[in-house]
Amino acid sequence: MKISIHVYFLFFTVFFATSCKIQAQIVYEKLPAARLEAAFEKYRDPSITQRRFKHADIQVLIQKHSTAFQIEKLGESVEGKSISSMTWGNGKTKVMLWSQMHGNESTATMALFDLFNFLEASGDEHDDLRNLLKSSLNLKFIPMLNPDGADAFKRRNNLDIDLNRDAISQISPEAVILKKARDDFEPEFGFNLHDQQIYYNVVNTPKQATISLLAPAYNYETEINEVRGRAMQTIAGMNELLQELIPGQVGKYDDAFEPRAFGDNIQKWGTSTILIESGGYLGDPEKQYIRKINFMIILNALHQIATKGYEKYTTEQYFAIPDNGFQLMDLIINEMQVKVNDKWFPVDLAIRRRETENEAGYFMSGAVEDLGDMQVFYGFETLDATGLQYREGKVYPTAFESAEKNL
Ligand SMILES: [Zn+2]
């Protein structure tokens, strides 16, 4: 009896020791925000400073990494511009990240080049993290999937097709490239990197949705299988970090199934897919702060995947992220008196601006988006026009040759 207790005790001790060892191997420790931020500041690529950069600009940057990364030309755009992938890491968990499928959505592309600098470096305080990622992950990046759109800074490609509605028909060469890259690589995780309009908010709050996240649905029923569930768990971890950086400014993107979209289909094809949408942030028109946030959450997510840290989070935490709204306006003018048929009516005006490309870069123009009762919207600026009356603007009858001449 005494012996058997002793044996049992010994067995328990051995078991306990073994389980501790296993625990020690897979333990996930959250990366502190300050550390991720320091990594960004050190490795930000100084050659990109604003949202509009061209396909030619990034070719130089891709080549800069040709020693540390395996670079492969995947094909060409409609206009014959090369689309390349960059592969890094010796691990067994495959992760694919693609950006700028929509040509004027460049925020994540900037962050990817910062990340390449970080991954390629060595001999600093980040070696432990870098080595962990290198030994656990096999990363494939496709920066700027739509170079023709990027050069014109427009959403669609040069067939005027939205690549995110071309996952199935694959009319566009760019869509063929992305589909083939996924099929050849068969990643466990995928990151679909986009920008959304600055007018997206966290629903029913005046807060801009600076980042919106989604684990796209793979069917109309928006069911959750293991593949989608893993994406949701990873997003919950990303949101935890984001709430430290931009509290209340994270939205959950609409998960209505779109049978032609890449995110939805890549999820369906068995890759846990995460959509990141970079929105707006007050005082950051060139999205350089949002670029930093992208770097931080992508690095955080890769660390979660390498350590299986996402298992600590739940799908309930994902669903607790508030929904995106589309309730922001540049300017709301409240209760302005408008005279029609000799009667006065109090009207709210909601104004949004639009960017138009030109030789010098771009210009902004504002227009009335809607009018009437605008109280469900929020303005970046609001003007209370109570007691003020609307008068039609006067236009000078002849055009000026130049502003200076006519002063
Ligand atoms: Zn997009």
Side-chain angles (χ1 to χ4, degrees), residues 103-151:
N104 56 355
E105 300 178 6
S106 61
T107 306
T109 305
M110 298 190 271
L112 291 185
F113 283 100
D114 304 327
L115 190 63
F116 301 154
N117 291 339
F118 170 84
L119 295 174
E120 175 160 352
S122 66
D124 67 6
E125 69 275 23
H126 302 295
D127 272 349
D128 56 342
L129 173 57
R130 205 175 274 133
N131 293 337
L132 170 75
L133 298 179
K134 194 165 199 167
S135 59
S136 319
L137 304 179
N138 185 3
L139 303 175
K140 187 182 278 289
F141 300 91
I142 311 175
M144 197 184 277
L145 191 69
N146 177 5
D148 300 340
D151 282 359

Side-chain angles (χ1 to χ4, degrees), residues 212-227:
S212 295
L213 299 164
L214 173 72
Y218 58 88
N219 61 14
Y220 285 107
E221 294 75 29
T222 67
E223 286 173 317
I224 305 166
N225 60 5
E226 203 184 311
V227 171

Side-chain angles (χ1 to χ4, degrees), residues 101-102 104-105 155 162 164 193-196 275 277:
M101 163 192 303
H102 294 136
N104 56 355
E105 300 178 6
R155 177 182 177 88
D162 182 342
N164 212 22
L193 305 170
H194 290 253
D195 283 61
Q196 64 187 356
L275 169 75
E277 292 275 359

Side-chain angles (χ1 to χ4, degrees), residues 241-380:
L241 169 65
L242 282 168
Q243 292 303 330
E244 286 182 48
L245 305 172
I246 43 168
Q249 290 191 244
V250 183
K252 177 158 73 336
Y253 208 84
D254 178 17
D255 76 346
F257 179 63
E258 166 51 70
R260 303 168 298 167
F262 266 103
D264 307 47
N265 281 290
I266 290 179
Q267 192 90 272
K268 187 172 167 179
W269 299 328
T271 295
S272 297
T273 305
I274 292 163
L275 169 75
I276 301 178
E277 292 275 359
S278 293
Y281 187 79
L282 214 59
D284 187 24
E286 289 305 323
K287 297 196 164 190
Q288 297 304 302
Y289 177 62
I290 311 175
R291 162 191 186 170
K292 171 155 88 174
I293 293 176
N294 264 259
F295 174 94
M296 293 170 72
I297 57 172
I298 292 172
L299 189 51
N300 163 274
L302 294 177
H303 177 248
Q304 282 195 68
I305 293 167
T307 57
K308 290 201 181 335
Y310 59 83
E311 289 178 349
K312 216 185 93 177
Y313 300 95
T314 63
T315 53
E316 287 74 23
Q317 287 171 300
Y318 168 83
F319 284 110
I321 300 171
D323 288 335
N324 253 15
F326 196 60
Q327 297 165 286
L328 295 178
M329 299 285 171
D330 282 295
L331 173 64
I332 292 181
I333 300 173
N334 283 321
E335 307 259 329
M336 184 180 61
Q337 291 293 324
V338 179
K339 195 177 182 184
V340 178
N341 293 340
D342 283 333
K343 272 172 127 181
W344 291 97
F345 301 88
V347 174
D348 303 339
L349 285 187
I351 291 160
R352 276 185 182 153
R353 299 194 295 176
R354 182 163 305 186
E355 284 183 11
T356 307
E357 300 304 297
N358 66 5
E359 289 292 304
Y362 70 101
F363 66 89
M364 308 282 276
S365 52
V368 175
E369 183 76 23
D370 202 355
L371 76 170
D373 176 0
M374 294 290 104
Q375 61 181 320
V376 297
F377 296 108
Y378 305 92
F380 297 138

